[in-house]
Amino acid sequence: MSGPRDPDDDIPPSDAFQVLGSETRLRILRALVDDGRPARRSFSELHEATDEDTSAGFAYHLRQLTDRYVRSVGDEYELTYAGTAIARTVAAGTYTESVSRDSVGLSDACPHCGEAALVVRVEDNVTTVACEACNGPVLELPFPPSGHDTHDDEDLPAAFDAHHRHRIAGFSTGVCPECGGAVDADAERAGDPGPATVTFSCVACGARLRCPVTLATLDHPAVVSFYHEHGHDVRDRPVWNVGDEWRERVVSEDPWCVRVTTRLEDEELALFVARDGTVVEHRRRTVTESEAEGDESVDGASGGSESASA
């Protein structure tokens, strides 16, 4: 495997994006995608997909895209990696669409007050889950325009949940779900009292996500198997309310460590999470009747997360 790329081989971002400042060139990129998949097209097919009157004028625009966004393969043309990324971003409406939607009621209980009064609303591509009973904000996260365009009101909450579960899982493994770059993580207490949170930051593109430490453990093999053995699927609960059986407590400041626990029936799973968000140890034990009647923890962790992406 070759080493890191040579920055001298890169072109300035201003030059790369200036090339795209033409409707003809954007139509060429869109024409090289068929039902969401990259496709090959001939010169004449691409010409027909644009409004250019002459083949000479069209050829000029195609040359501006060649090598950086488009490459020739025999008598046809196809997208490069960069061209594919641009074409899909345009199709998703990431930079061109602003979506707002009326409030939609959710069946899940509020993690703060327990009332079934949660609603989800969308304003300028940002989705908010809030409680109309206690007026408590539960979650606020961005969601791409294409997600809103392709999911109706009934399907939107599940799609939103799945999208951000994948993002949290990606960040938790140390790989940025936006660009594939390396990720730094830093866990801290969110107020006192208050749940512990972990902030993930991509060192390459700057994408960030902050969420309760509990949410960063949901895909851990010990958690998945624990729920499976008790006849449950940890994915059945949404990120805004993963269940009142979850608790988290900071047990050490130096070294920093938070103890995340979940109880199902008469058994408890405890995970010990370091400042970098990694689970350094996990234990299972049987819970006694007296312990089940009381609650040793100080902090609930039933849901909610917030994110900022750059």
Side-chain angles (χ1 to χ4, degrees):
M1 180 178 293
S2 61
R5 75 179 194 276
D6 185 351
D8 292 338
D9 293 336
D10 297 342
I11 66 172
S14 58
D15 292 348
F17 286 105
Q18 185 177 20
V19 170
L20 300 171
S22 161
E23 179 59 30
T24 294
R25 297 170 199 175
L26 290 177
R27 289 190 179 189
I28 292 172
L29 297 183
R30 288 196 293 265
L32 288 169
V33 178
D34 184 12
D35 290 333
R37 296 185 298 272
R40 290 182 179 179
R41 297 282 186 263
S42 66
F43 180 95
S44 59
E45 288 174 324
L46 292 177
H47 187 192
E48 290 176 2
T50 72
D51 289 335
E52 288 297 314
D53 294 330
T54 67
S55 59
F58 169 76
Y60 167 78
H61 288 290
L62 182 60
R63 284 197 303 273
Q64 303 311 301
L65 294 172
T66 302
D67 294 334
R68 177 58 54 181
Y69 297 110
V70 174
R71 59 172 163 252
S72 60
V73 182
D75 295 331
E76 297 181 312
Y77 294 86
E78 66 179 11
L79 295 172
T80 63
Y81 173 83
T84 300
I86 290 294
R88 287 177 172 167
T89 299
V90 171
T94 304
Y95 303 124
T96 57
E97 297 181 31
S98 177
V99 178
S100 296
R101 298 173 73 148
D102 294 334
S103 299
V104 177
L106 299 175
S107 59
D108 307 284
C110 172
H112 303 308
C113 70
E115 295 293 327
L118 289 181
V119 296
V120 56
R121 60 178 62 94
V122 180
E123 184 69 33
D124 191 21
N125 300 335
V126 175
T127 301
T128 300
V129 177
C131 179
E132 294 187 326
C134 67
N135 295 318
V138 177
L139 174 151
E140 185 176 281
L141 289 166
F143 194 51
S146 55
H148 296 286
D149 290 342
T150 56
H151 297 286
D152 58 24
D153 287 349
E154 183 178 353
D155 295 336
L156 178 63
F160 178 80
D161 176 58
H163 176 75
H164 285 292
R165 278 182 178 274
H166 289 311
R167 293 186 76 239
I168 293 170
F171 276 115
S172 297
T173 60
V175 179
C176 176
E178 310 292 339
C179 76
V183 169
D184 285 339
D186 184 31
E188 61 184 352
R189 192 195 302 272
D192 191 11
T197 64
V198 57
T199 300
F200 299 102
S201 303
C202 176
V203 301
C205 73
R208 299 179 72 247
L209 182 143
R210 184 178 65 190
C211 68
V213 171
T214 293
L215 295 187
T217 69
L218 296 182
D219 276 351
H220 191 277
V223 174
V224 175
S225 61
F226 179 73
Y227 272 75
H228 178 73
E229 290 172 21
H230 283 272
H232 298 281
D233 189 336
V234 72
R235 296 169 298 182
D236 287 342
R237 302 233 184 85
V239 292
W240 49 86
N241 192 343
V242 295
D244 57 8
E245 71 269 19
W246 287 91
R247 296 290 184 271
E248 57 187 43
R249 178 166 59 118
V250 176
V251 295
S252 173
E253 296 284 351
D254 188 17
W256 198 93
C257 180
V258 62
R259 181 175 182 264
V260 177
T261 63
T262 181
R263 291 181 184 178
L264 293 176
E265 300 168 352
D266 63 346
E267 192 174 15
E268 176 189 86
L269 171 67
L271 303 102
F272 296 86
V273 183
R275 184 175 291 279
D276 64 359
T278 60
V279 175
V280 295
E281 185 180 352
H282 57 85
R283 304 171 187 167
R284 290 172 67 161
R285 70 183 182 95
T286 300
V287 179
T288 65
E289 186 175 343
S290 61
E291 288 176 322
E293 292 176 352
D295 194 331
E296 61 168 330
S297 71
V298 296
D299 299 328
S302 57
S305 68
E306 57 181 310
S307 165
S309 296

